[in-house]
Amino acid sequence: MTRGLKFFRDVYYVYWREIRHFWMQKARVVVSFFQPLVWFVLMGSTMNNLTGSLVNGSALNHAQLTQKILDGAPNYMTYVVGGIVAMTTLFGGIFGGTTVVWDRRLGFLNKMLAAPISHAAIPLGKMLAVALQALLQVAVILLLASLFGVQYRTGALGVAVILLIAALFSLGMSGLSLALGARIKSVESLFAIMNVLTMPLIFSSPAMFPARAMPGWLQTISAWNPVTYVLLPIRALVYKGWVWSDLACGGGIVLLFALATSAVAVSQFRKSIA
Amino acid sequence: MNTIEVQDLTKIYPGGIQAVRGVTFSVTAGEIFGFLGPNGAGKSTTIMMLTTLLRITSGTALVGGHDVSREPVRVRQSIGYVSQDLAVDDNLSGWENMFLQAKFYGLTQAQIQERLPEVLAMVNLTERARDLVETYSGGMRKRLDIAEGLIHRPQILFLDEPTLGLDIQTRSEIWKYIARLREEVGMTIFLTTHYMDEADRLCDRIAIIDRGLIKAVDTPARLKQEIGGDLIALSLEGPPADLGRAVAAMAALPGVRQVKPQGNQQLVVAENGEALVPRIFEAVRPFEVKITSLALKRPSLDDVYLHFTGRGLRDEQESSKEEAMRRRLIMRRTRR
């Protein structure tokens, strides 16, 4: 068997194991689909009413106001779909790396490292599994959102591109998380770091609230936050249309981010990390 | 023919801890070779260097004819490694664990169909193969783990602390499987242990390792002979000056080879221990010394260990918090 083919098989079987785990844990599957629903129903509908009442009670016309408050989205639900997609992907991705710390503690990591598989296949297989889970979750979110009246301006093709971007971002975040997991050997420290990372990443991006509402310093941080660039093309596809500049800029940065973190993760695993 | 050749193998961890300090040994094909020593002696570090999991600092190691530093993938293909961690995946079935391992080793579908049932039968897990490992007992998990190490028919099997944490009944069961492996498959086995009875019962040859150095390598029988006779352990009480003279008097008795302190006891090595006991009492009578306890025994590997290292075989401190956590987890998983 050629080496290239062997490499893909190694990646596939690492991935296979992760996916088995995912489906084995019924509770995890349910929770992973339930969480976005909570965000939608609880925060989405309240914010929808809040922003809706602002728009209706004002002297400005509807279009001007939504432009001002919601970055051009017709209502908050439509605005926040992208945010929830980004947030779910971020969470799933960043905790994807904890599997390697568990594998180390259980000794399974050494078992894989002592087998004649490519060490690079370990992070890549795990990343693919995380990305597939993100893909499923995002599909559910988008479906839910349409039940709540969100209409996708770019149609089915746009939705497919949203899924692709979310999957790429998920690869990027899980790569980062795996690279950290390769270095930080205790589950507890890794969880602490990740918890510190996630919320600031979300709230220093326009995931929940438009950039326009942010103070200047936060806008500066937001410009350096990868989440901002996940939102850019997704928002365009949801309610702006095929805005090629947004798609190219956001898509490009997310792609670069994914490539960079995968490279770091792979190089960490190529070193001795047992 | 030697299947493992190790020359001056050294591991210095970042931070300067010398875990293995220049060990040299070789293992012959078909042999069961054991590393005996307490936790922290350098056993696991050695096994991890030989299985390519740790980079070696200096020295050379050839495993199955391949250099561990230069041809790690070749080495990995020719060995099976069963860590002390019980590294089976609880969330998969026994069969799936084996299947995954087989795929990692590049076995074809036909080979899998042929070998999986064979290896599972060998460790008596055929009936439980489709159940989740979560539901297995500690002994079943260990057997599954060993079976996984055999699926690609390795030339050499590495077993790191094969019975760590298992109860006595399960331990002897695992020993039976290991002994069978050698008989039926003729496999070379390298194992580490800190259980004397395990080393005594399984190993053709033993290396006694202490603080990163090999103190002795030989068959269990010859190591015991090395001590040169029976052992009499004495507890003495009295003023230090008299104690010193009493020890000198004992050492001067005919048949006594050596008297040496061991903890708060004196250890007398002698031929024909039974006859010596009354003469010891006579010898110490002139002094202000009381014998508070006395034990006569034939040498065991414990004594051999003491003889070569000057201390008992007990656990040293865990190297890190994460290490301690891991060990506790192993205990919890085996005791089911």
Side-chain angles (χ1 to χ4, degrees), chain A residues 4 15 20-21 23 28 42 66 74-75 77 79 98 100 109 121 131 161 163-164 175 185 194 204 219 240-241:
Chain A
Y15 160 89
R20 294 291 300 175
H21 283 179
W23 292 115
R28 205 168 116 200
L42 302 183
T66 53
N75 52 46
M77 286 290 204
Y79 176 78
T98 53
V100 72
L109 182 63
V161 179
L163 287 171
L164 183 70
K185 310 212 161 164
M194 284 165 183
S204 69
Q219 284 187 18
K240 289 180 187 157

Side-chain angles (χ1 to χ4, degrees), chain B residues 8-184:
Chain B
D8 290 324
L9 188 68
T10 302
K11 178 68 191 181
I12 302 171
Y13 283 107
I17 297 165
Q18 298 198 337
V20 176
R21 303 189 286 170
V23 301
T24 300
F25 63 91
S26 55
V27 179
T28 320
E31 183 176 36
I32 300 189
F33 186 88
F35 250 35
L36 176 69
N39 294 330
K43 290 173 293 161
S44 285
T45 303
T46 305
I47 223 172
M48 285 174 87
M49 286 193 280
L50 297 182
T51 54
T52 77
L53 287 171
L54 273 181
R55 242 186 261 281
I56 65 183
T57 308
S58 64
T60 55
L62 294 180
V63 173
H66 305 289
D67 187 298
V68 291
S69 304
R70 269 175 283 162
E71 304 170 284
V73 178
R74 283 281 179 78
V75 170
R76 285 183 215 139
Q77 274 160 349
S78 53
I79 62 168
Y81 169 56
V82 182
S83 72
Q84 54 178 277
D85 293 315
L86 260 192
V88 288
D89 192 329
D90 290 5
N91 296 310
L92 300 178
S93 69
W95 179 275
E96 285 171 329
N97 266 285
M98 295 285 285
F99 172 79
L100 193 59
Q101 185 80 354
K103 286 296 184 185
F104 281 163
Y105 281 85
L107 266 62
T108 63
Q109 207 59 38
Q111 286 171 318
I112 289 174
Q113 289 307 326
E114 184 206 331
R115 289 193 206 168
L116 249 65
E118 184 187 300
V119 179
L120 282 168
M122 184 163 178
V123 294
N124 259 339
L125 282 174
T126 308
E127 273 154 44
R128 297 293 303 276
R130 297 285 167 185
D131 296 343
L132 276 189
V133 173
E134 221 171 50
T135 64
Y136 284 19
S137 69
M140 289 167 76
R141 281 170 199 209
K142 194 75 217 183
R143 270 148 49 199
L144 178 64
D145 206 4
I146 294 175
E148 281 184 49
L150 299 173
I151 187 71
H152 58 292
R153 297 189 177 153
Q155 216 182 316
I156 308 158
L157 183 66
F158 286 89
L159 298 169
D160 196 0
E161 298 278 0
T163 62
L164 181 73
L166 296 172
D167 59 67
I168 294 172
Q169 206 183 341
T170 316
R171 286 178 65 196
S172 66
E173 185 192 350
I174 298 290
W175 289 342
K176 218 174 61 201
Y177 286 111
I178 296 174
R180 240 179 87 188
L181 268 183
R182 202 257 300 271
E183 276 164 38
E184 290 177 15

Side-chain angles (χ1 to χ4, degrees), chain B residues 224-241:
Chain B
K224 285 178 210 165
Q225 270 171 28
E226 189 100 358
I227 291 186
D230 296 339
L231 295 168
I232 301 167
L234 289 164
S235 295
L236 298 174
E237 268 178 18

Side-chain angles (χ1 to χ4, degrees), chain A residues 11-29:
Chain A
V11 172
Y12 173 76
Y13 284 105
V14 174
Y15 160 89
W16 178 85
R17 170 169 174 256
E18 298 294 329
I19 293 295
R20 294 291 300 175
H21 283 179
F22 180 68
W23 292 115
M24 290 299 299
Q25 292 163 313
K26 305 276 187 301
R28 205 168 116 200
V29 177

